[in-house]
Amino acid sequence: MSRAGRVTGLAALASLPVLPLGWFVGLQAQPAWIPAAYLGYLLVVIAIPGTMFWRRLTGGSGWFLVDAVLGTTFGLACEALIYPLGRWLDLPLIALVMPALALGLFLALPRKSRDDRPTPWWAVAGVMVSAGVVAAWFVRVGSRLIPVDGPSALRPNSDSPFQLSLAAELTHHFPPQVPYVAGEPLTYHWMAYNHIASAHWITGIELDVLTQRVVPFAFLLLTALGAAAVGMVLTGRAVAAPIAAGLTVLAGDLSPWSWTVTHTLYHDSPLSMGQMISPTQAYSTVIMLPLIAVTALLLRRKADQSKRRLAGLFLTATILITVLSISKATALPVYAAGIAAAWLYLTIKDRRLNVRALVLGVLVGTTYTVNFFVVLRAASHGMEVEPGKTFRNMLNTMLTGVDPSVQQGPDLLPIVTAAVLIGWLLPGAGILLIRRRLPRDPMAVMLLAGLIGAVAAASVLHHYSQAQVFFARTAFVYGVLLAAWGLSSLERRQYFAVAPALALGVTAIYVGRSRTDGLIRDCRDTACLDRIFAEPLVYALILTAAGVLVLGLLIRGSRRTWAAIAVAALLGLTVSPTIVSLRKFAFPPQTTYDSIAPGGIEAARFIRRQSGPDDLIATNIHCHAPTGSRCHSGSFWIPGYAERRVLVEGWAYTAQANNVHTSTDAVYGPFWDQAKLRINDAAFTAPTRDGLETLRTQYGVRWLLADERVNEVPEELAKLAELRFQSGTVRVYQLYPPRTPQGPRETP
């Protein structure tokens, strides 16, 4: 072997340990057994069986590493379908059967002997660089977003306890209910929590560590690796892998203003706060990637595709579509828009009905209908058709802190709308460079239609909490794949023009942002607002256009080279949130008060140790803040840490609370069952034997958790119930049946 060959071989070997090393580095704050246990579980229970399932059912992609990544994500989908059955049958470790199922499939469906193509070392090394960036970001930013211990853990926003409570609910119950309002059906997407619950049972890792550290980090890595794998499936070229992985972790939206770089208004990248605090969004992205890959394998007809292979592909697609439909409400509609466009394109091109795309469309329609009426129970959760309100709310958020007397000019809203829409759609420019390998290849049409459909939905629909923006976040990976496909279609010599064009776009957006640093709150008139909103965008676009012109004249290439320069420069404009966030990031604001009662986590875990999974808790805690003139009903932490349902804690984020028009109504509105609330609260303000017995017999309450910050606990309660635990401001009481005249208590 030549010296150059030895150097490249060493480079390949050196890049491989980046993934496991990055995994342990990213979770360095946790005891070493935690990342080791989850990694072992992921490999043995998910990755190896999932890869075997994927290769036997789909026939594989032709690259083993690609199949290993997509197989791992497919394994997550299989686990999400198996776990509810096990939970319903009281077999929570049921995912452990997956290796045996994989072995059975391996023996039953022998794979045709076909050599896999080797993945070039430089492609692997490029993807590993992106994995290293993910690990660095997680250490610097991701692992600090949601505190899991220390005094800061008592001051979360309402989202992280909400996610934790749902993970606890799926850990112990199926079908699930709202854990903080017992008896209320859970009309929410819950597939991601199946994975968290299954991992908890198999590894023994605490739910809060899984929900807020381990699983989000795993999903970030799988998103980058999955994008790389799908990029290779779409293009048939290894160069797509590092490009897709790099765009996944480095790209985002336009963000022309300095104050939006660290804001969560519309950041689409997986490395953003919006993704980190939403396991459902992160999980749906991971599941979407193998679905796009299997869609490509289905719609791209191959001469040697047997009926058995076709059946395997459709079975794989059915599993992924089913899981995706209950993973995130905004995910499947984006895919539906893409598959509808692909069907129309193929039908017109072939001049006959395309059955494969039609079957996929029917699967999507069926699963979405079942999800809407069975899982979501036809609840709208406050989503309404209000075109343009998305951008008005974004603008109002940006103007927070500006003197109210300063009037908004008529150009302000169009400027913000244009910047947001351009940023969302920019990755779609990659379609201009695509050279498809197959005639009538529908995948570019499918991805572009999904991207445009998602942006349209985010623009036309509105939710009081800006939940409609998750349509655009879902489509982020569609844009990444289009951009990666376009860039990987270039000839080798054209990359010498693309590299400086990308740098040009990055430079232009940074120069644009530098024009607004610290100015917005100082504005005292309309002209100032117009200037600081328009100037950065104008600077960035003019600098980009001038740079493209200069580069094109210097290189003097073909029209395709000119197009490559322009597209690369536009893509460079989106490289914003990730790199900047390593230096500066807007962490979720910690409240000035302990929204979790001091001693509350210990008290909740005491109840967990002393009770059964069906035991019910009553509490005097209903509000995010312990005191105040109004009650923010977003308190969810007790079922998260106790892993037991609560009769009534908070009631925000439920279907009944969400069926309103404003965020104020949703989180400050009254509880709908005032009779139940009065009986509950009387136990902590004026307890009586009859009242406590009503709670015990009629509602099934076994435990009382009282926070003395809400109200002083009457001494009479200790005479009627047994004080079992006390820590900080929290007291825990247990309810028992009344004593019979002969002495001993009645049997519960």
Side-chain angles (χ1 to χ4, degrees):
M1 181 183 291
S2 65
R3 181 176 181 182
R6 288 194 297 271
V7 171
T8 56
L10 289 173
L13 290 174
S15 67
L16 292 177
V18 169
L19 199 56
L21 285 175
W23 174 253
F24 282 94
V25 168
L27 296 172
Q28 59 183 308
Q30 307 301 320
W33 74 268
I34 289 179
Y38 184 87
L39 184 60
Y41 146 80
L42 189 68
L43 289 174
V44 175
V45 179
I46 305 297
I48 295 175
T51 301
M52 295 174 70
F53 292 150
W54 176 267
R55 285 168 72 86
R56 286 300 181 274
L57 293 175
T58 68
S61 64
W63 288 282
F64 175 76
L65 290 180
V66 169
D67 290 339
V69 173
L70 295 177
T72 301
T73 56
F74 182 61
L76 289 172
C78 294
E79 177 198 42
L81 281 183
I82 292 173
Y83 177 79
L85 176 63
R87 181 61 278 174
W88 184 59
L89 296 173
D90 200 22
L91 299 171
L93 299 175
I94 195 171
L96 292 175
V97 307
M98 286 180 59
L101 292 175
L103 180 60
L105 188 65
F106 176 82
L107 297 175
L109 297 177
R111 187 170 180 261
K112 293 180 180 179
S113 58
R114 186 175 64 186
D115 293 334
D116 289 317
R117 288 171 284 178
T119 306
W121 70 267
W122 48 264
V124 176
V127 174
M128 290 302 103
V129 169
S130 296
V133 172
V134 172
W137 182 89
F138 194 80
V139 171
R140 172 66 179 86
V141 179
S143 62
R144 298 168 56 193
L145 287 176
I146 305 171
V148 294
D149 50 30
S152 297
L154 301 179
R155 299 185 172 188
N157 58 15
S158 56
D159 281 351
S160 53
F162 169 72
Q163 307 291 349
L164 181 59
S165 70
L166 297 191
E169 172 67 11
L170 269 300
T171 297
H172 296 287
H173 300 98
F174 192 86
Q177 298 179 9
V178 176
Y180 46 89
V181 185
E184 190 75 12
L186 181 63
T187 57
Y188 188 76
H189 24 259
W190 36 257
M191 278 294 184
Y193 308 105
N194 287 341
H195 169 67
I196 295 172
S198 181
H200 170 66
W201 280 110
I202 293 173
T203 66
I205 302 172
E206 285 283 2
L207 283 176
D208 58 338
V209 177
L210 280 170
T211 306
Q212 298 159 5
R213 287 291 185 275
V214 178
V215 170
F217 186 31
F219 286 169
L220 291 177
L221 290 170
L222 285 173
T223 299
L225 297 175
V230 177
M232 290 178 66
V233 171
L234 292 173
T235 65
R237 302 186 65 185
V239 70
I243 293 174
L247 288 174
T248 299
V249 301
L250 296 177
D253 40 51
L254 188 59
S255 297
W257 307 291
S258 61
W259 61 82
T260 61
V261 171
T262 57
H263 208 285
T264 61
L265 285 173
Y266 51 91
H267 279 175
D268 310 324
S269 167
L271 303 193
S272 65
M273 193 164 72
Q275 294 276 109
M276 269 296 301
I277 63 177
S278 177
T280 54
Q281 177 63 26
Y283 182 79
S284 67
T285 301
V286 170
I287 299 301
M288 182 74 78
L289 288 165
L291 179 57
I292 293 172
V294 79
T295 302
L297 295 175
L298 267 170
L299 299 186
R300 292 170 167 176
R301 292 178 176 270
K302 291 184 178 181
D304 61 344
Q305 211 168 57
S306 64
K307 290 183 178 180
R308 191 180 74 179
R309 183 67 65 225
L310 192 61
L313 287 167
F314 273 117
L315 176 59
T316 304
T318 301
I319 292 172
L320 291 168
I321 289 171
T322 301
V323 173
L324 192 65
S325 69
I326 317 176
S327 296
K328 190 71 176 177
T330 55
L332 199 58
V334 176
Y335 177 79
I339 205 65
W343 173 79
L344 186 62
Y345 172 81
L346 288 171
T347 298
I348 293 173
K349 276 282 187 180
D350 297 338
R351 297 183 180 179
R352 60 186 175 85
L353 194 68
N354 187 276
V355 177
R356 296 188 181 190
L358 182 61
V359 171
L360 288 175
V362 170
L363 284 172
V364 168
T366 302
T367 55
Y368 187 82
T369 300
V370 172
N371 172 60
F372 183 72
F373 287 104
V374 177
V375 178
L376 299 182
R377 304 199 178 201
S380 68
H381 284 276
M383 191 71 75
E384 298 177 324
V385 178
E386 294 191 41
K389 196 169 182 180
T390 297
F391 311 108
R392 167 60 67 186
N393 282 358
M394 288 181 175
L395 174 59
N396 291 339
T397 302
M398 294 179 193
L399 294 177
T400 301
V402 177
D403 193 319
S405 65
V406 179
Q407 296 295 315
Q408 300 177 20
D411 298 330
L412 216 55
L413 183 59
I415 290 171
V416 171
T417 302
V420 175
L421 289 176
I422 290 172
W424 280 343
L425 293 171
L426 266 183
I431 200 172
L432 300 174
L433 305 178
I434 290 178
R435 283 183 173 175
R436 285 176 279 187
R437 298 181 297 119
L438 303 170
R440 298 185 301 278
D441 185 356
M443 291 309 298
V445 174
M446 183 257 183
L447 293 173
L448 184 62
L451 177 64
I452 293 174
V455 171
S459 305
V460 172
L461 299 176
H462 181 261
H463 189 265
Y464 63 84
S465 67
Q466 290 288 70
Q468 76 280 2
V469 175
F470 279 101
F471 282 106
R473 287 176 177 156
T474 296
F476 171 79
V477 72
Y478 285 63
V480 162
L481 293 174
L482 282 170
W485 193 349
L487 292 177
S488 62
S489 298
L490 300 175
E491 299 174 8
R492 184 175 299 178
R493 65 177 181 273
Q494 290 174 323
Y495 288 111
F496 292 103
V498 165
L502 283 168
L504 167 66
V506 175
T507 302
I509 199 65
Y510 271 81
V511 170
R513 287 192 208 107
S514 68
R515 308 293 303 178
T516 62
D517 194 25
L519 294 176
I520 188 170
R521 296 179 185 273
D522 299 332
C523 278
R524 294 294 179 265
D525 54 59
T526 303
C528 173
L529 284 180
D530 288 342
R531 178 178 60 81
I532 69 170
F533 271 89
E535 192 174 283
L537 190 58
V538 171
Y539 264 86
L541 294 179
I542 289 178
L543 184 57
T544 302
V548 167
L549 180 62
V550 171
L551 275 176
L553 292 175
L554 289 175
I555 295 173
R556 296 182 180 181
S558 63
R559 283 184 296 179
R560 183 166 173 78
T561 302
W562 274 88
I565 292 172
V567 169
L570 291 175
L571 294 176
L573 290 173
T574 70
V575 179
S576 55
T578 303
I579 298 301
V580 175
S581 69
L582 291 174
R583 176 178 56 86
K584 178 184 178 184
F585 197 89
F587 293 100
Q590 294 285 292
T591 58
T592 57
Y593 54 85
D594 292 338
S595 57
I596 297 178
I601 295 176
E602 295 82 0
R605 285 178 170 162
F606 170 82
I607 295 176
R608 182 184 66 179
R609 292 192 301 270
Q610 302 296 321
S611 64
D614 294 327
D615 280 13
L616 191 64
I617 303 170
T619 183
N620 64 341
I621 301 170
H622 306 303
C623 311
H624 195 262
T627 58
S629 57
R630 294 196 303 173
C631 176
H632 183 303
S633 61
S635 181
F636 318 117
W637 60 269
I638 296 175
Y641 289 103
E643 300 179 24
R644 304 292 180 261
R645 290 169 176 166
V646 180
L647 182 63
V648 183
E649 188 181 355
W651 49 86
Y653 299 0
T654 59
Q656 296 205 49
N658 285 342
N659 193 24
V660 292
H661 298 286
T662 68
S663 58
T664 300
D665 294 336
V667 298
Y668 291 103
F671 184 55
W672 53 87
D673 190 342
Q674 286 295 307
K676 179 192 288 188
L677 189 62
R678 281 193 297 271
I679 294 173
N680 178 94
D681 290 351
F684 302 94
T685 56
T688 63
R689 189 173 302 280
D690 289 343
L692 295 181
E693 188 63 8
T694 299
L695 280 179
R696 191 186 69 83
T697 57
Q698 182 175 334
Y699 294 100
V701 172
R702 294 292 179 267
W703 299 85
L704 305 178
L705 189 150
D707 183 0
E708 294 177 334
R709 301 177 305 166
V710 177
N711 62 268
E712 185 177 351
V713 181
E715 294 182 3
E716 186 67 19
L717 184 57
K719 301 176 183 177
L720 300 173
E722 182 179 349
L723 178 63
R724 295 290 308 278
F725 185 87
Q726 185 170 357
S727 177
T729 63
V730 176
R731 295 183 183 183
V732 173
Y733 300 85
Q734 187 170 4
L735 296 181
Y736 293 104
R739 296 179 181 275
T740 63
Q742 289 75 23
R745 293 188 178 97
E746 296 175 359
T747 303

